[in-house]
Amino acid sequence: MAKFDLYRDVAGDYRWRFRAADGRVIAVSSQAYLHPAECKSDVELLKAQASEAVVDILGEPVSFDSSTTHRGPDA
């Protein structure tokens, strides 16, 4: 099962990382948080908005519809 880990970095701040079901880390927070609640809040925001997110490849918005494949102009 995929999951988010909340952890403390070497500076003592909180960060998150997202692990795929196979355990690979596939995303990490770009900012540090002073409090774990702030970190968790951004994780919840990410979870809520990810299903509607688009993938922007070379400036072209692409939907996350797995039934289609998008290739850029150089493909």
Side-chain angles (χ1 to χ4, degrees):
M1 173 184 289
K3 68 175 186 171
F4 285 91
D5 296 329
L6 273 58
Y7 66 96
R8 287 190 125 162
D9 63 16
V10 295
D13 293 324
Y14 292 90
R15 292 183 179 267
W16 60 262
R17 65 181 156 234
F18 181 71
R19 290 185 182 270
D22 64 3
R24 291 178 303 131
V25 174
I26 60 173
V28 296
S29 58
S30 61
Q31 74 179 73
Y33 303 86
L34 292 177
H35 305 286
E38 295 169 339
C39 186
K40 187 174 184 218
S41 176
D42 274 2
V43 166
E44 295 299 332
L45 180 65
L46 177 61
K47 287 171 55 178
Q49 294 186 8
S51 65
E52 297 178 17
V54 296
V55 177
D56 191 9
I57 300 174
L58 301 176
E60 298 177 27
V62 180
S63 75
F64 238 150
D65 181 358
S66 62
S67 67
T68 61
T69 303
H70 174 77
R71 296 182 188 264
D74 298 331

